[in-house]
Every structure is written in C-alpha cells, then in structure tokens.
Amino acid sequence: MPKGYWVSAYRAISDPEKLAAYNKLAGPAVKAGGGRILTRDSRVVAHDAGIAERTILIEFDSFEQAVAAHESAAYQEALVALSDGVERDFRIVEGID
C-alpha cells in the first residue's frame, strides 16, 4: 500500500508565537495519527519558484491515514492556534509503491 505524506513549505512566518503554539499541539496530533516526521527545520535549497524557508515532511503508513490525521480534532485544534501566523503551502500526497 502506498504511503501518505504531508508536505508543508512555509512561505512566510508572520507570528512566531502562533507557530510555537501550533507546534505544541501539532506534534502530538501527528504522532497520535501515526505520522513520522522525516524532516523539520533542516537545510533547504530552493529551485525554480521555490522559497528556502521552513519545510516539513511527515510520513504516514497510507494516504488515507494522512488525510484522517489532518481531519482529526487534535490537528484541527492546532490549526486554530496557528490561524494567520504563517503563509504556507500544505499538501497531502500519495507515495508510490
């Protein structure tokens, strides 16, 4: 079964306090949803229209698990805390076997 991934590329962080509040809630929510953080705050080299900002990659055992974790009450609470504190490109993608 193909894995699922959250890919989040931050374009701008306008409120570090909101991001910190989000991080406190999002980490446990991701873990509870079966997610494994593969990269966070690592070095980034951007090409084309990319921006070398904070990029997060989280792996789940399946695409469905990744979607369910995003829709969970715990992660939705984290999104409320984040609010308008960042501008980011967030995607859930299915891996290939």
Side-chain angles (χ1 to χ4, degrees), residues 1-6 62-64 66 91-97:
M1 174 183 299
K3 294 186 178 188
Y5 297 89
W6 286 8
S62 70
F63 179 79
E64 291 75 17
R91 298 165 190 236
I92 300 175
V93 298
E94 184 175 49
I96 53 177
D97 240 1

Side-chain angles (χ1 to χ4, degrees), residues 7-75:
V7 182
S8 185
Y10 287 68
R11 298 185 185 283
I13 299 170
S14 58
D15 191 331
E17 290 180 9
K18 286 183 179 179
L19 180 58
Y22 164 83
N23 286 337
K24 284 184 181 179
L25 297 170
V30 165
K31 194 173 204 178
R36 294 172 297 283
I37 298 172
L38 300 180
T39 183
R40 177 185 62 212
D41 296 331
S42 302
R43 295 187 308 170
V44 175
V45 175
H47 294 280
D48 302 325
I51 297 173
E53 278 287 346
R54 178 185 174 127
T55 303
I56 313 296
L57 178 63
I58 300 173
E59 180 182 63
F60 293 84
D61 289 335
S62 70
F63 179 79
E64 291 75 17
Q65 187 181 40
V67 170
H70 185 270
E71 294 174 355
S72 72
Y75 188 71

